[in-house]
Short mmCIF file of all heavy atoms in Angstrom, two decimals:
data_model
loop_
_atom_site.label_atom_id
_atom_site.label_comp_id
_atom_site.label_asym_id
_atom_site.label_seq_id
_atom_site.Cartn_x
_atom_site.Cartn_y
_atom_site.Cartn_z
N ALA A 1038 -20.02 -13.82 20.02
CA ALA A 1038 -19.35 -12.69 20.66
C ALA A 1038 -18.50 -13.20 21.80
O ALA A 1038 -18.89 -14.15 22.50
CB ALA A 1038 -20.38 -11.70 21.17
N MET A 1040 -16.94 -11.60 25.12
CA MET A 1040 -16.90 -10.41 25.97
C MET A 1040 -16.02 -10.69 27.18
O MET A 1040 -15.88 -11.83 27.61
CB MET A 1040 -18.31 -10.05 26.43
CG MET A 1040 -19.25 -9.70 25.29
SD MET A 1040 -20.86 -9.18 25.91
CE MET A 1040 -20.46 -7.57 26.60
N TYR A 1211 -17.81 -3.99 25.32
CA TYR A 1211 -19.12 -3.42 25.65
C TYR A 1211 -20.24 -4.11 24.92
O TYR A 1211 -20.07 -4.58 23.79
CB TYR A 1211 -19.14 -1.92 25.27
CG TYR A 1211 -18.13 -1.12 26.02
CD1 TYR A 1211 -16.97 -0.69 25.40
CD2 TYR A 1211 -18.33 -0.81 27.37
CE1 TYR A 1211 -16.03 0.05 26.08
CE2 TYR A 1211 -17.39 -0.08 28.06
CZ TYR A 1211 -16.25 0.34 27.42
OH TYR A 1211 -15.32 1.06 28.10
N GLN A 1212 -21.38 -4.09 25.55
CA GLN A 1212 -22.56 -4.75 25.00
C GLN A 1212 -23.13 -3.98 23.80
O GLN A 1212 -23.78 -4.57 22.94
CB GLN A 1212 -23.62 -4.87 26.11
CG GLN A 1212 -24.86 -5.63 25.75
CD GLN A 1212 -25.92 -4.71 25.18
OE1 GLN A 1212 -25.90 -3.51 25.45
NE2 GLN A 1212 -26.79 -5.26 24.36
N LEU A 1215 -23.37 -5.22 20.33
CA LEU A 1215 -24.22 -6.40 20.12
C LEU A 1215 -25.70 -6.02 19.94
O LEU A 1215 -26.51 -6.87 19.59
CB LEU A 1215 -24.03 -7.39 21.27
CG LEU A 1215 -22.55 -7.78 21.50
CD1 LEU A 1215 -22.45 -8.79 22.62
CD2 LEU A 1215 -21.91 -8.33 20.23
N PRO A 1220 -25.54 -11.44 18.18
CA PRO A 1220 -24.81 -12.72 18.12
C PRO A 1220 -25.72 -13.92 18.37
O PRO A 1220 -26.74 -13.81 19.04
CB PRO A 1220 -23.80 -12.58 19.26
CG PRO A 1220 -24.47 -11.69 20.25
CD PRO A 1220 -25.39 -10.77 19.48
N VAL A 1223 -23.04 -15.79 23.05
CA VAL A 1223 -22.13 -14.88 23.75
C VAL A 1223 -21.27 -15.71 24.71
O VAL A 1223 -21.79 -16.54 25.46
CB VAL A 1223 -22.92 -13.83 24.56
CG1 VAL A 1223 -21.97 -12.98 25.40
CG2 VAL A 1223 -23.73 -12.94 23.62
N VAL A 1225 -18.26 -15.50 27.70
CA VAL A 1225 -17.63 -14.59 28.65
C VAL A 1225 -16.21 -15.09 28.92
O VAL A 1225 -16.02 -16.24 29.35
CB VAL A 1225 -18.42 -14.51 29.97
CG1 VAL A 1225 -17.78 -13.49 30.90
CG2 VAL A 1225 -19.87 -14.14 29.68
N GLY A 1235 -23.83 -18.21 26.59
CA GLY A 1235 -25.29 -18.12 26.58
C GLY A 1235 -25.77 -17.40 25.34
O GLY A 1235 -24.98 -17.14 24.43
N ASP A 1236 -27.06 -17.06 25.33
CA ASP A 1236 -27.57 -16.34 24.16
C ASP A 1236 -27.34 -14.84 24.33
O ASP A 1236 -26.66 -14.42 25.27
CB ASP A 1236 -29.04 -16.69 23.90
CG ASP A 1236 -29.93 -16.25 25.05
OD1 ASP A 1236 -29.44 -15.49 25.94
OD2 ASP A 1236 -31.10 -16.67 25.09
N LYS A 1237 -27.92 -14.03 23.47
CA LYS A 1237 -27.63 -12.59 23.50
C LYS A 1237 -28.03 -11.92 24.82
O LYS A 1237 -27.49 -10.88 25.17
CB LYS A 1237 -28.31 -11.90 22.31
CG LYS A 1237 -29.82 -11.99 22.27
CD LYS A 1237 -30.33 -11.29 21.03
CE LYS A 1237 -31.80 -11.60 20.73
NZ LYS A 1237 -32.74 -11.53 21.82
N ASP A 1238 -28.95 -12.54 25.55
CA ASP A 1238 -29.36 -11.93 26.82
C ASP A 1238 -28.25 -11.95 27.87
O ASP A 1238 -28.25 -11.14 28.79
CB ASP A 1238 -30.59 -12.68 27.37
CG ASP A 1238 -31.80 -12.49 26.46
OD1 ASP A 1238 -31.80 -11.46 25.74
OD2 ASP A 1238 -32.69 -13.35 26.44
N LEU A 1239 -27.30 -12.84 27.67
CA LEU A 1239 -26.15 -12.87 28.60
C LEU A 1239 -25.38 -11.56 28.53
O LEU A 1239 -24.91 -11.04 29.56
CB LEU A 1239 -25.24 -14.06 28.24
CG LEU A 1239 -23.92 -14.19 29.02
CD1 LEU A 1239 -24.17 -14.27 30.52
CD2 LEU A 1239 -23.17 -15.46 28.57
N ALA A 1240 -25.28 -11.01 27.32
CA ALA A 1240 -24.58 -9.74 27.17
C ALA A 1240 -25.28 -8.64 27.94
O ALA A 1240 -24.65 -7.81 28.59
CB ALA A 1240 -24.49 -9.37 25.68
N LEU A 1241 -26.62 -8.65 27.91
CA LEU A 1241 -27.40 -7.63 28.63
C LEU A 1241 -27.20 -7.77 30.14
O LEU A 1241 -27.05 -6.79 30.86
CB LEU A 1241 -28.88 -7.77 28.28
CG LEU A 1241 -29.24 -7.39 26.84
CD1 LEU A 1241 -30.66 -7.84 26.51
CD2 LEU A 1241 -29.07 -5.90 26.61
N ARG A 1242 -27.15 -9.04 30.60
CA ARG A 1242 -26.95 -9.24 32.03
C ARG A 1242 -25.57 -8.74 32.47
O ARG A 1242 -25.43 -8.10 33.51
CB ARG A 1242 -27.08 -10.74 32.36
CG ARG A 1242 -27.39 -11.01 33.84
CD ARG A 1242 -27.15 -12.45 34.20
NE ARG A 1242 -25.76 -12.69 34.49
CZ ARG A 1242 -25.16 -13.87 34.33
NH1 ARG A 1242 -25.84 -14.90 33.86
NH2 ARG A 1242 -23.88 -14.02 34.64
N LEU A 1243 -24.57 -9.00 31.61
CA LEU A 1243 -23.21 -8.55 31.95
C LEU A 1243 -23.17 -7.02 32.01
O LEU A 1243 -22.51 -6.44 32.86
CB LEU A 1243 -22.21 -9.05 30.90
CG LEU A 1243 -21.90 -10.54 30.95
CD1 LEU A 1243 -21.11 -10.94 29.71
CD2 LEU A 1243 -21.13 -10.87 32.22
N GLU A 1244 -23.89 -6.39 31.07
CA GLU A 1244 -23.92 -4.94 31.03
C GLU A 1244 -24.52 -4.41 32.36
O GLU A 1244 -24.04 -3.44 32.92
CB GLU A 1244 -24.78 -4.48 29.84
CG GLU A 1244 -24.80 -2.99 29.62
CD GLU A 1244 -23.55 -2.49 28.91
OE1 GLU A 1244 -22.65 -3.30 28.64
OE2 GLU A 1244 -23.47 -1.29 28.65
N ARG A 1245 -25.55 -5.12 32.84
CA ARG A 1245 -26.23 -4.69 34.06
C ARG A 1245 -25.39 -4.99 35.30
O ARG A 1245 -25.18 -4.14 36.16
CB ARG A 1245 -27.56 -5.46 34.17
CG ARG A 1245 -28.78 -4.57 34.36
CD ARG A 1245 -30.09 -5.33 34.40
NE ARG A 1245 -30.04 -6.78 34.56
CZ ARG A 1245 -30.38 -7.64 33.60
NH1 ARG A 1245 -30.76 -7.20 32.41
NH2 ARG A 1245 -30.33 -8.95 33.82
#
Side-chain angles (χ1 to χ4, degrees):
Chain A
M1040 298 184 72
Y1211 298 105
Q1212 185 270 336
L1215 306 181
V1223 174
V1225 184
D1236 63 11
K1237 61 182 167 46
D1238 294 335
L1239 175 57
L1241 291 168
R1242 201 195 83 207
L1243 288 170
E1244 185 79 357
R1245 233 177 13 249

